[in-house]
Amino acid sequence: MISNKLIVGLLFVVAMSITSCKPKGTTSVISGDAATKVYVPPGQYDEFYNFVSGGFSGQLSVYGIPSGRLLRVIPVFSSDPEKGWGFNEETKPMLNTSHGIVPWDDLHHVEMSQTNGEADGKWVFVNGNNTPRLARIDLKTFRTAEILELPNSGGNHSSPFGTENSEYIVASTRFSVPSDANPDVPISTYKENFKGHISFVSVDKETGEMKVAFQLKAPGVNFDLARAGKGKSHGWFFFSCYNTELANTLLEVNASQKDKDFILAINWKKAEEYIKEGKGTKQAVKYSHNKYDETTHTAKSEMETEVTVLDLANTEGIAYLIPCPKSPHGCDVDPTGEYIIGSGKLAALIPVFSFDKLQKAIAEKKFETEKFGGIPVIKYEAALYGEVQKPGLGPLHTEFDGKGNAYTSMFVSSEVVKWNIKDLKVLDRAPTYYSVGHLMIPGGNTKKPFGKYLVAYNKITKDRYLPTGPELAQSAQLYDISGDKMKLLLDFPTIGEPHYAQAIPAALIKDKQAKIFDINSNKHQYKTNGEEDAKVVREGNAVHVYMTSIRSHFVPDNIEGVKVGDEVFFHVTNLEQDWDVPHGFGIKGANNAELLIMPGETLTLKWIPDRVGIFPMYCTDFCSALHQEMSGYVRVSPKGSTLPITFNSSKKTAAK
Ligand SMILES: [Cu+2]
């Protein structure tokens, strides 16, 4: 026990000393032709869309590869005044949870939808760790289309990971917690009452709609990461977990006692059968399910009240534990589906497990004498293909180039290590500037990686750019991996923590982009069909403004009869039917944000005037040479005023 603590301590000392000194030769490792390899001339497009999680920013950002140019920030879990996300009435329900509106989350992982084990460019799934949620982003609109909260969870880190046809997106808990049905238990009863739930969320093939199909109740470990099997291992799922000590205090030391934790292997096809046979238990819970409707341009939040849970302690043939050295973090499956790579973050080697050997070990019952939490433990050697020796310090994540090579990030020794999957020999190593977390090769998690580029996402970055106060810019580093040796091409700064990312060839989604919303298909309940229909209607103390926007004016642009304390709803319909002519809407003193309304769309800003006066409103998104003229006034009178509602309507011709 003492020696283990010493090892942990030593690794921490190494980590500290490495993060405080910069690797030598930072300029010499940049190849001479790097600039031409990342240069995308004006008027040309990048080869890949790179979807990068924003970590604690709660957002997803989109970069072009190889240029590293930031193309877009997609708001997901965090409200975003730039787009009005979480501020306008239509998107507020998207941030609803069983705790009410939670306008922030901690977004770590990105998973693109797949068909036959390759990214199909339909959706991107992301996780919210903090208030456990999954989100689905539509790649036609680059907008968040759905957010699903997860019951029985705390810290949704091990997610979202998908199967090869996106049959399921799986989410498992980092913090084991008591079941939502019986949560008030002493923390000292951790070992009996705290459980690690794994949610299997099904995805509708056509609409993408998510549904918690079932949950698996596992022992109270901390789930870290996961990957679905593919090819021959399709139907299986592999989860890394730490804290098999089941400690609930000072995890830094207490969860690092054992030499080996586990990878949990799940036969999910078998689990499906058990669920069909009714072997799960229905449990009353409460979690929100939020969907954005593209025809009404409005989100709805519903509360779900039930989940089916299958206890792994009472099942046979579904769950097996594979011992994995020292607090496994990454758990990655190679493109063939045969090799499962565990990365013990405190281990000095990388174990590679074989799916065939795992199956054989199960068939021949090569188990340890003691089960863990009722789950059989396979003998380490029985599932092991081999170990990569001396790969570096602190292995975290592995991606693949599709040419038989694996690339593993080394957090402590700050490098990317390339090794051969068959003979497990280290082939190359490239320094990263400073501690690296996830890696990304476009398609590197799929059956068909595009092994041309690798991006290293740095967890602790120092002095890659001009200093910016106490907090420095986050960094991603692009490498050329087309040859035998990795070549550093580019640093580019990112938003929040660039935790994980996936990329897809631009050609697969570029031409599928929505350009406008068809005004005739707009089913928003407060849509205004044309300027002649613009109006202002008082209903008690609610004032509904049916407003239109078109270059370069609003109708109406002058409104009187509004009183202090009224609830004023500006329902603005953007009548434009041209690509990229959004209009914005902002009004003085509104304590939310602007609206940003796409062509053909209707959005609503709620405003409660707090004082008497004249309030200017204006378009916030530059729309034409006369954009500055796109403005108007609202007159607000005292509470008891009897001034009737009046507004000017231009009665011009309706939009087509
Ligand atoms: Cu405008």
Side-chain angles (χ1 to χ4, degrees):
M1 194 209 261
I2 290 165
S3 64
N4 284 341
K5 272 188 193 167
L6 266 176
I7 290 167
V8 174
L10 276 171
L11 279 164
F12 284 179
V13 170
V14 172
M16 292 313 290
S17 59
I18 283 177
T19 53
S20 59
C21 72
K22 188 173 178 171
K24 290 194 177 88
T26 56
T27 47
S28 62
V29 294
I30 296 166
S31 56
D33 57 350
T36 55
K37 288 191 168 171
V38 301
Y39 183 63
V40 179
Q44 289 189 24
Y45 296 123
D46 276 291
E47 282 173 72
F48 294 94
Y49 283 99
N50 186 198
F51 298 93
V52 183
S53 74
F56 50 84
S57 84
Q59 313 295 49
L60 181 70
S61 47
V62 188
Y63 297 81
I65 298 281
S67 73
R69 296 184 292 208
L70 173 64
L71 306 176
R72 188 146 196 89
V73 177
I74 303 171
V76 185
F77 300 115
S78 295
S79 48
D80 178 354
E82 187 194 27
K83 288 108 184 164
W85 182 257
F87 292 99
N88 60 52
E89 296 305 301
E90 287 77 3
T91 57
K92 279 178 184 172
M94 291 300 282
L95 301 180
N96 196 37
T97 72
S98 60
H99 306 269
I101 298 272
V102 178
W104 167 85
D105 217 307
D106 184 18
L107 190 163
H108 275 200
H109 306 116
V110 178
E111 181 84 342
M112 303 195 74
S113 58
Q114 295 188 10
T115 301
N116 299 325
E118 292 177 56
D120 57 23
K122 289 183 183 170
W123 306 296
V124 177
F125 299 91
V126 296
N127 66 330
N129 282 344
N130 178 61
T131 306
R133 287 177 273 186
L134 289 179
R136 176 172 57 87
I137 290 117
D138 190 327
L139 286 180
K140 289 195 304 290
T141 57
F142 278 53
R143 281 187 179 176
T144 303
E146 187 178 7
I147 294 182
L148 178 67
E149 194 183 357
L150 299 165
N152 291 325
S153 301
N156 171 35
H157 189 266
S158 178
S159 84
F161 296 101
T163 53
E164 67 178 32
N165 292 297
S166 295
E167 291 95 339
Y168 293 104
I169 296 295
V170 169
S172 34
T173 193
R174 171 179 158 203
F175 305 111
S176 280
V177 288
S179 137
D180 283 0
N182 184 25
D184 185 16
V185 297
I187 298 173
S188 60
T189 62
Y190 187 100
K191 284 182 182 165
E192 300 97 85
N193 287 326
F194 287 49
K195 298 293 170 193
H197 283 82
I198 302 173
S199 307
F200 276 74
V201 174
S202 62
V203 177
D204 185 279
K205 271 193 167 34
E206 300 304 316
T207 64
E209 190 172 323
M210 301 188 284
K211 181 174 182 275
V212 182
F214 57 91
Q215 290 191 317
L216 300 177
K217 185 157 104 181
V221 298
N222 295 39
F223 286 104
D224 208 341
L225 290 159
R227 281 289 180 209
K230 50 174 84 93
K232 60 160 67 168
S233 54
H234 178 61
W236 285 73
F237 229 107
F238 307 96
F239 302 84
S240 61
C241 56
Y242 60 99
N243 192 19
T244 51
E245 294 82 355
L246 304 181
N248 63 290
T249 177
L250 202 62
L251 295 198
E252 179 189 17
V253 176
N254 291 332
S256 306
Q257 301 294 319
K258 293 185 182 169
D259 276 332
K260 290 194 177 65
D261 290 293
F262 297 121
I263 285 173
L264 172 64
I266 295 286
N267 181 340
W268 60 260
K269 296 238 170 175
K270 193 104 190 160
E272 264 182 345
E273 285 171 26
Y274 277 38
I275 293 292
K276 270 189 204 132
E277 290 165 13
K279 289 187 178 156
T281 310
K282 291 211 191 309
Q283 190 189 320
V285 287
K286 203 178 148 195
Y287 61 101
S288 73
H289 190 184
N290 313 330
K291 288 174 266 181
Y292 195 81
D293 183 328
E294 286 293 354
T295 59
T296 61
H297 306 200
T298 304
K300 261 200 194 124
S301 176
E302 283 169 356
M303 216 47 80
E304 306 267 6
T305 54
E306 193 179 78
V307 68
T308 303
V309 180
L310 189 62
D311 190 344
L312 291 181
N314 307 324
T315 56
E316 211 150 287
I318 294 180
Y320 301 93
L321 291 160
I322 309 168
C324 189
K326 302 303 298 175
S327 301
H329 187 64
C331 175
D332 296 289
V333 180
D334 88 307
T336 68
E338 164 63 9
Y339 301 103
I340 302 135
I341 288 105
S343 292
K345 58 185 186 258
L346 303 176
L349 53 82
I350 302 173
V352 178
F353 300 99
S354 151
F355 182 72
D356 288 343
K357 285 189 77 174
L358 170 68
Q359 295 306 308
K360 199 159 172 271
I362 293 168
E364 294 171 2
K365 294 199 161 46
K366 288 186 177 164
F367 302 143
E368 300 286 354
T369 42
E370 297 234 345
K371 287 183 172 182
F372 178 86
I375 301 172
V377 179
I378 288 164
K379 286 201 159 82
Y380 178 65
E381 287 75 17
L384 187 73
Y385 171 70
E387 294 168 340
V388 182
Q389 296 297 328
K390 296 190 178 165
L393 287 174
L396 290 188
H397 305 283
T398 302
E399 294 243 330
F400 308 90
D401 64 5
K403 299 171 220 160
N405 302 308
Y407 297 73
T408 303
S409 57
M410 298 289 167
F411 177 79
V412 176
S413 54
S414 297
E415 58 188 336
V416 178
V417 173
K418 174 182 177 180
W419 49 276
N420 182 277
I421 304 171
K422 276 271 145 62
D423 65 17
L424 307 179
K425 292 258 168 21
V426 171
L427 301 172
D428 189 24
R429 46 182 78 236
T432 54
Y433 303 96
Y434 294 82
S435 307
V436 57
H438 276 273
L439 297 173
M440 189 282 297
I441 292 171
N445 64 310
T446 70
K447 276 182 175 172
K448 271 200 190 155
F450 303 89
K452 183 173 177 186
Y453 299 112
L454 176 149
V455 184
Y457 298 94
N458 290 346
K459 302 192 92 62
I460 303 170
T461 310
K462 288 189 166 57
D463 66 18
R464 296 306 286 170
Y465 312 103
L466 288 171
T468 52
E471 191 183 15
L472 292 161
Q474 304 272 346
S475 185
Q477 296 184 311
L478 176 74
Y479 295 81
D480 176 349
I481 57 164
S482 59
D484 288 342
K485 298 285 170 192
M486 292 175 267
K487 286 183 194 163
L488 177 62
L489 299 179
L490 180 72
D491 284 330
F492 60 95
T494 63
I495 286 164
E497 185 211 346
H499 194 91
Y500 180 50
Q502 289 190 354
I504 189 167
L508 291 178
I509 55 174
K510 180 171 79 66
D511 298 328
K512 294 182 191 162
Q513 296 311 297
K515 296 187 173 173
I516 52 166
F517 295 100
D518 178 5
I519 192 85
N520 299 310
S521 314
N522 180 335
K523 302 276 187 289
H524 192 292
Q525 65 166 323
Y526 294 107
K527 175 196 178 188
T528 307
N529 280 315
E531 293 188 344
E532 78 281 8
D533 292 331
K535 61 188 173 191
V536 183
V537 179
R538 176 179 284 285
E539 290 167 10
N541 74 335
V543 176
H544 291 274
V545 181
Y546 294 75
M547 184 180 270
T548 61
S549 68
I550 197 161
R551 284 162 286 187
S552 303
H553 58 272
F554 293 110
V555 177
D557 64 1
N558 282 323
I559 301 167
E560 303 195 23
V562 171
K563 293 181 275 189
V564 171
D566 277 346
E567 288 193 318
V568 185
F569 296 91
F570 295 98
H571 309 289
V572 185
T573 299
N574 182 350
L575 298 176
E576 305 278 358
Q577 292 285 273
D578 275 347
W579 195 10
D580 198 31
V581 191
H583 290 290
F585 178 84
I587 184 158
K588 182 186 172 184
N591 34 34
N592 46 16
E594 62 166 357
L595 298 176
L596 186 62
I597 318 137
M598 297 304 123
E601 195 175 35
T602 304
L603 287 175
T604 303
L605 190 83
K606 182 179 169 183
W607 173 56
I608 303 177
D610 69 334
R611 66 194 69 175
V612 170
I614 300 291
F615 292 79
M617 54 189 182
Y618 64 98
C619 174
T620 53
D621 190 338
F622 201 100
C623 56
S624 75
L626 296 174
H627 162 73
Q628 286 295 85
E629 283 74 3
M630 192 165 177
S631 64
Y633 294 104
V634 178
R635 175 183 169 194
V636 176
S637 301
K639 245 190 164 66
S641 162
T642 53
L643 197 68
I645 290 280
T646 56
F647 55 93
N648 65 321
S649 167
S650 64
K651 299 281 180 203
K652 285 179 192 163
T653 51
K656 281 167 263 167

